[in-house]
Amino acid sequence: MSAPLTVVLPDAKAVKDMLAGLVGKPVGVMPGAPVTPTPKSPVSVAVYVDPSMDVNALCVMDLGASAYTGAALALLPPGGAQDAVEEDGELTAMLTEALHEVVNVLSALFNVPGAPHSKLYKLYAPGDDLPGDIACSLADFNRLDLAIDVPGYGKGGLSLVIPSRA
């Protein structure tokens, strides 16, 4: 009998390489603080599932990381992304659509030999209500917390979390 497949956190270099390849810019990635939602600091949460539809990973981004990665991918002007972060406190529909593509591609970080296949199930944009089980999982300890800097756009925080029940 074989051991069950487990989801493994990628290292910071894998995240850096993936983001840089995605946005076509040398994204800065360094250790950062955990990204957690507060009433004044909305976050986006990408939920990844395994083939049996069990949640096996989360990608949590603060508003800055959400806006700047999405804008860089879609080649949107930096000013619009900065306005979304500094003035509006939410993403436009176009930024949310671009962010969806970012987090969809990031699922590849979890698809390594020996791990179950992960795919994007749902993206909760900043300000969306999170289901209770997802919200509770955001504080789990099996995580990688990073500060990112998208050249020409801005800085933000990104956390990859493996829920304790995964």
Side-chain angles (χ1 to χ4, degrees):
M1 180 161 188
S2 62
L5 299 175
T6 57
V7 180
V8 179
L9 280 171
D11 60 24
K13 182 180 182 326
V15 175
K16 176 184 178 85
D17 293 348
M18 180 73 68
L19 287 173
L22 191 60
V23 303
K25 296 175 178 288
V27 176
V29 174
M30 59 205 75
V35 178
T36 53
T38 68
K40 292 184 178 183
S41 301
V43 300
S44 59
V45 179
V47 179
Y48 302 99
V49 296
D50 65 17
S52 60
M53 298 301 290
D54 291 324
V55 175
N56 65 4
L58 304 170
C59 176
V60 189
M61 292 186 183
D62 68 10
L63 193 56
S66 300
Y68 301 142
T69 58
L73 174 70
L75 301 175
L76 299 173
Q82 290 160 352
D83 287 348
V85 173
E86 297 167 10
E87 295 173 20
D88 304 335
E90 63 184 12
L91 300 181
T92 64
M94 190 175 293
L95 283 173
T96 300
E97 189 175 317
L99 176 61
H100 188 276
E101 187 57 31
V102 169
V103 296
N104 188 39
V105 171
L106 291 181
S107 68
L109 291 168
F110 302 107
N111 291 321
V112 297
H117 181 76
S118 295
K119 69 176 183 177
L120 178 64
Y121 171 71
K122 183 166 176 85
L123 171 65
Y124 294 92
D128 287 355
D129 289 332
L130 294 174
D133 61 332
I134 300 298
C136 289
S137 295
L138 297 181
D140 282 351
F141 295 106
N142 190 7
R143 60 189 303 129
L144 175 65
D145 301 308
L146 301 169
I148 66 169
D149 185 356
V150 182
Y153 287 88
K155 298 178 182 185
L158 181 152
S159 292
L160 299 175
V161 182
I162 306 300
S164 55
R165 64 189 186 290

